[in-house]
Each structure stands twice: as C-alpha cells, then as structure tokens.
C-alpha cells in the first residue's frame, strides 16, 4: 500500500496493522471501520473526569447504537441514556439492566411512555403536559424532569438544545406547576436533567449551565441524581492541529461544583453526564472508494461512494470531516491540489468535503473519512435506494470482525407491500 495521506490514523495506529485498501477490498465500500481500543479509551477518559465518588457516565446511544459497540460500552462500566423505545430495546439486548437505562423522552405518546415504564427504566419528561401524562399513566411512580437552564451551546443552531429558542426542557419559571403536578399524582421526583447542546470545545457554557441547574435542584428535596447532559466536543480539524477539549481543566471545574453542591444539598447525590459524540466519534473511519475524478468548469471533483446517505453530517450541518488517502499501488501523487469530494447521490448538495487541499487523488484510491463514529451510521439512510453500509470492528489484538452486514437489495423490499393487482 502507498501511504499517500494518513497522518491522523497513523498517529493513533488506527488500523492496528491492517491495510485499509485490503479491508476495502474484503468488505467493500462504503464501510464503517471501528477501533475497539480507542472506544474503550474514550469511555475511560470520561469515567475519570471527576474525583467526586458518585459519578455515572451514561453513554448517549443516539450517537451510535450498534450492538457490539453498546456491548463494549457496557463492559467499560458505563450506563446509557435512551431517546426511543428502539434504543431501550437495543440497550437491553446489549446487556444493560433497566436501572442502567435513563429514558429522556420528548413529545412521546402514551404507548411509548408506557413501554419505558413497563421496561422498568427511569423516565425523564420535558414538559408540564408530558408530566401530566406520566402522572395519569403511573401515579405514585418515581420520575425525572428535564429543565432548560436558559444557557445553550453547540456547533450549529440545529443542535443547541437549551436556551430561549429550543423545544427542550421545562422553563424553571414553571417549577411551582411542576410541584403541583407531582403532588396531584403523588409522583416522586428522583432526578433532574439537562442537555445544553452538542459539541462544545471549551467548558464555560457547560459550567455556567450546571450552576443554573443546581439552583433549580436546590428547590426540590430528596433528589437522588442530577444529570448534567452531554455535548463534550472532539476536534474534527485534526490535520490543522485543532486542540482537543481540555478534559482536565473542565473536569476540575465540574468537580469543584459537584462537591460544593453536594455539601449544600446535604445528601450524597449522584451526578451523571450523558455524552455521545466524545465516546463514539473518534473510534471510526469510513472507507470509501473513488470512482471518478473530473473537472467541471473551474472545479475539480473527486467522486466517491460516500454519499450523504452514508454520512449526513456535512450536508446537514456543514460539518467538517478530515479525509485521508490510501492507495493499493505504488504510484505517487505528484502534486497537491484543491478538490471537492462528492458522493453518488443525485443532489448537488451531496458534498462530503468542499475545496480541500490534498495530495492528488486517483480513481481507485480509498478515502478515509475521519471521526465518523458519532451520528454517522446512526443517521445513515437508504435514500436513492442505496443500501446502508457494513460495519467492522478492529479488536484490540488487531483482529477484524463484522458487526453489521451490508444491506442487500432484498432489504429494500422489507416491509413493502405490493398491490395484488393493479
Ligand atoms: N443527551 C441528550 C438529551 C441529547 O439530546 C444528546 C444529543 C446527547 C445527550 C448527546 O450529545 P453529544 O454528547 O453527542 O453531543 N446529529 C448531530 C448531533 C445531535 C445531538 C442530539 N442530541 C451531529 O451530528 O452533530
């Protein structure tokens, strides 16, 4: 193999001695590749975030809910959050006990809420009307409430989930009404939670939001836990030397706040966080084959099989993902050039990487799309009737295992009911 452009994966020995062009040949592309060692390391980073003893990391499975992935997270001693009955179901399949699952729902039907209650998981509701619904279904039950601390953060307005412009959480102004509903249905408030948004690279907003959340918590007696939410970012522009989130500094600030609140509150309360991206993003690279290289007017386009059905983040949020180049032959790239890398979906917006300066790319090259493990496969679709890709896992000993089969044409027919006559 010719290592044309592999700086980021080399630095962490991502492929553990496997040749990405061989993996592409064997499993075909597009292909999600995961590294178990990196996943485990990210779980451990966050478990050690603070010294406060009653601290739980709930992995937010919406970022990546592959079963093998969840099993690894479970074996690292993390718990999980869930956003849907589907996530609760998969988490149980992966071995999580009901008391290790925190269901944070938003605008759900009675059936969904009942599914979670019957499954024995803790439920958090995020509006007065959903609290009423919970009370009607399960009077006398323990419940949690998600508040909106009024402080948001995130890499794009679509993923800021607190503050004055979002649908999430209960406005703290309604605390008296929350108390009334709790009393009306004899519900026991065992926890409160928040999630201010996704992908912050500095901790100020998070630390400010937990101070606000603690003010809210102080107005309720007998809480067992406070869940501070996720949003811990990762550096997507690694080739440009973007620094990672300073977990030491952030952890120290959070730790101080936890000890102080616990002392004031007077009970050994449990604190939780619910990160998705931090745990899952960096342990995955998508392999994609280049099928055409062309000039169109002033632009050079590299066409590959990683359309936005495979990775939606660039088209959805203008997100940046680093791109590497692996080549099966020894032919060198003679120059660097600016190219736009596009997929095979019939929309002009199907752009994976815009105006990137990279070593010359040839047809047949395999591209590595970096940091794809969070909201990658989880948001993949079968748009244009393309099959969702396979997923493989590189185990800690370098062995490669398949953790999801590539969809086949027959899968497109699943659940479709043709007319008997027309
Ligand atoms: N907790 C709740 C209630 C959430 O809604 C989320 C994410 C998380 C935790 C985990 O957030 P994280 O630690 O991963 O930032 N698709 C977008 C991100 C959407 C996040 C939605 N909620 C993206 O690709 O950037």
């Amino acid at each position: 193999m010719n290592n044309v452009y592999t700086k980021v994966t080399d630095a962490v020995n991502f492929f553990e001695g496997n040749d990405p062009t061989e993996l592409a040949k064997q499993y075909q592309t597009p292909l999600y590749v995961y590294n178990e060692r990196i996943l485990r390391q990210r779980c451990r980073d966050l478990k050690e975030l603070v010294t406060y003893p009653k601290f739980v990391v709930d992995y937010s499975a919406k970022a990546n809910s592959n079963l093998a992935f969840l099993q690894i997270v479970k074996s690292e001693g993390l718990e999980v959050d869930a956003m849907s009955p589907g996530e609760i179901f998969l988490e149980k399949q992966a071995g999580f006990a009901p008391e290790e699952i925190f269901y944070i729902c938003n605008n759900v039907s009675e059936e969904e809420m009942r599914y979670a209650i019957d499954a024995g998981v803790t439920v958090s509701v995020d509006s007065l009307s959903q609290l009423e619904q919970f009370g009607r279904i399960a009077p006398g039950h323990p419940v949690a409430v998600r508040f909106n601390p009024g402080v948001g953060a995130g890499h794009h307005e679509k993923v800021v989930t607190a503050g004055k412009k979002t649908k999430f959480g209960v406005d703290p102004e309604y605390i008296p009404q929350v108390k009334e509903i709790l009393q009306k249905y004899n519900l026991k408030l065992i926890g409160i939670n928040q999630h201010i948004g996704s992908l912050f690279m500095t901790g100020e907003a998070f630390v400010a939001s937990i101070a606000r959340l603690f003010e809210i918590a102080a107005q309720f007696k007998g809480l067992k836990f406070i869940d501070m939410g996720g949003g811990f970012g990762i550096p997507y522009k690694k080739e440009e030397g973007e620094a990672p989130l300073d977990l030491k500094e952030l952890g120290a600030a959070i730790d101080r706040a936890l000890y102080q609140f616990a002392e004031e509150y007077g009970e050994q309360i449990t604190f939780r966080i619910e990160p998705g991206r931090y745990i899952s993003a960096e342990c995955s690279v998508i392999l994609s084959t280049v099928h055409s290289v062309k000039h169109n007017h002033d632009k050079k386009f590299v066409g590959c099989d990683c359309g936005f059905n495979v990775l939606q983040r660039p088209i959805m949020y203008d997100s940046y993902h680093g791109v590497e180049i692996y080549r099966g032959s020894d032919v060198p790239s003679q120059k660097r050039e600016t190219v736009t890398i596009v997929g095979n979906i019939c929309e002009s917006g199907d752009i994976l990487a815009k105006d990137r300066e990279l070593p010359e790319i040839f047809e047949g090259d395999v591209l590595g799309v970096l940091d794809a493990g969070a909201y990658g496969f989880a948001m993949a679709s079968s748009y244009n009737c393309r099959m969702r890709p396979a997923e493989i896992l590189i185990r800690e000993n370098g062995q490669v295992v398949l953790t999801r089969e590539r969809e086949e044409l027959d899968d497109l027919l699943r659940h479709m009911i043709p007319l008997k006559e027309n």
Side-chain angles (χ1 to χ4, degrees):
M1 171 184 115
N2 183 354
N3 289 328
V4 181
Y5 191 61
T6 58
K7 205 166 83 180
V8 176
T9 50
D10 283 351
V12 294
N13 189 22
F14 183 90
F15 292 103
E16 311 275 10
N18 293 283
D19 175 343
T21 63
E22 288 299 323
L23 293 175
K25 237 187 253 159
Q26 188 178 345
Y27 294 95
Q28 295 162 5
T29 60
L31 176 71
Y32 274 87
V33 184
Y34 296 89
N35 179 301
E36 178 175 2
R37 175 178 46 83
I38 298 174
L39 168 58
R40 288 189 181 279
Q41 189 54 53
R42 292 299 175 273
C43 293
R44 291 170 199 171
D45 292 348
L46 287 182
K47 276 183 78 183
E48 288 163 10
L49 182 68
V50 294
T51 65
Y52 183 86
K54 293 182 83 176
F55 177 67
V56 177
V57 182
D58 285 339
Y59 166 60
S60 194
K62 63 184 74 62
N64 192 317
S65 50
N66 177 292
L67 211 49
F69 195 100
L70 291 176
Q71 287 173 311
I72 294 172
V73 170
K74 161 89 184 132
S75 77
E76 286 296 326
L78 273 62
E79 298 188 5
V80 271
D81 80 11
M83 264 286 154
S84 65
E87 285 183 0
I88 294 175
F89 172 76
L90 284 178
E91 290 165 356
K92 284 190 159 181
Q93 294 288 319
F96 289 94
E99 55 276 16
E100 295 172 322
I101 301 175
F102 186 31
Y103 182 52
I104 302 172
C105 59
N106 177 240
N107 308 331
V108 300
S109 67
E110 280 198 20
E111 283 92 339
E112 283 200 16
M113 205 175 261
R114 211 183 290 276
Y115 177 91
I117 294 165
D118 291 347
V121 309
T122 303
V123 176
S124 162
V125 295
D126 88 335
S127 64
L128 296 178
S129 62
Q130 294 261 287
L131 185 58
E132 278 272 357
Q133 174 171 297
F134 186 95
R136 283 196 306 271
I137 301 176
H141 226 72
V143 69
V145 171
R146 175 173 177 174
F147 282 96
N148 178 337
V151 183
H155 69 89
H156 190 284
E157 68 171 22
K158 287 181 183 152
V159 301
V160 175
T161 48
K164 306 225 155 65
K165 291 187 190 156
T166 87
K167 65 171 180 164
F168 293 104
V170 174
D171 181 337
E173 268 195 20
Y174 295 115
I175 288 176
Q177 286 86 336
V178 168
K179 288 185 172 171
E180 268 167 38
I181 301 171
L182 291 172
Q183 204 176 10
K184 177 172 163 193
Y185 294 100
N186 191 26
L187 299 172
K188 177 159 177 34
L189 187 74
I190 55 167
I192 65 168
N193 57 301
Q194 67 167 17
H195 171 67
I196 63 168
S198 198
L199 206 169
F200 50 78
M201 292 306 286
T202 58
E204 295 87 10
F206 188 78
V207 173
S209 76
I210 61 177
R212 187 74 195 96
L213 190 65
F214 294 169
E215 284 169 24
I216 297 167
Q219 299 179 53
F220 294 96
K221 286 205 182 72
L223 293 178
K224 289 198 164 58
F225 68 86
I226 298 176
D227 177 346
M228 303 174 281
F232 299 74
I234 63 115
Y236 282 97
K237 294 195 171 168
K238 292 188 172 61
E239 318 94 288
E240 295 173 20
E242 184 184 0
L245 179 63
D246 189 341
L247 275 193
K248 253 207 171 123
E249 190 186 82
L250 177 58
I254 296 173
D255 219 11
R256 278 193 296 276
L258 303 192
Y259 279 109
Q260 196 186 339
F261 179 79
E263 200 185 312
E264 287 164 12
Y265 197 65
E267 282 180 47
Q268 269 287 315
I269 195 158
T270 297
F271 293 98
R272 321 174 76 96
I273 53 171
E274 50 191 40
R277 184 189 319 269
Y278 187 89
I279 288 170
S280 59
E282 290 177 303
C283 65
S284 181
V285 169
I286 301 169
L287 296 182
S288 169
T289 307
V290 175
H291 292 298
S292 88
V293 177
K294 76 172 187 189
H295 283 95
N296 218 354
H297 299 282
D298 295 339
K299 265 188 176 316
K300 185 159 184 183
F301 287 95
V302 171
C304 68
D305 56 15
C306 185
F308 72 83
N309 57 313
V310 176
L311 183 69
Q312 239 190 88
R313 302 192 69 254
I315 189 168
M316 184 101 157
Y317 317 108
D318 281 327
S319 299
Y320 181 102
H321 284 262
V323 174
E324 292 196 338
I325 308 163
Y326 321 112
R327 186 167 298 154
S329 75
D330 289 332
V331 179
S333 296
Q334 301 289 2
K335 53 181 178 190
R336 289 177 76 88
E337 53 186 7
T338 300
V339 293
T340 289
I341 304 174
V342 292
N344 48 10
I345 294 293
C346 61
E347 291 196 30
S348 304
D350 185 24
I351 295 173
L352 179 62
K354 202 174 200 165
D355 297 331
R356 292 284 170 91
E357 205 216 292
L358 288 165
E360 193 176 13
I361 296 174
F362 301 130
E363 245 175 69
D365 281 351
V366 173
L367 304 180
V369 184
L370 306 180
D371 301 316
Y375 310 106
F377 190 96
M379 291 170 67
S381 77
S382 55
Y383 183 44
N384 275 199
C385 292
R386 292 201 166 275
M387 278 67 75
R388 285 186 190 75
E391 297 182 288
I392 59 172
L393 176 73
I394 305 178
R395 311 278 340 229
E396 288 177 290
N397 62 5
Q399 188 204 346
V400 177
V401 293
L402 186 64
T403 59
R404 188 192 302 263
E405 290 172 346
R406 181 176 304 286
E407 286 181 356
E408 293 174 350
L409 285 173
D410 273 350
D411 291 313
L412 294 174
L413 290 172
R414 280 198 80 196
H415 308 301
M416 274 208 233
I417 305 170
L419 293 174
K420 292 230 164 56
E421 75 260 4
N422 50 25

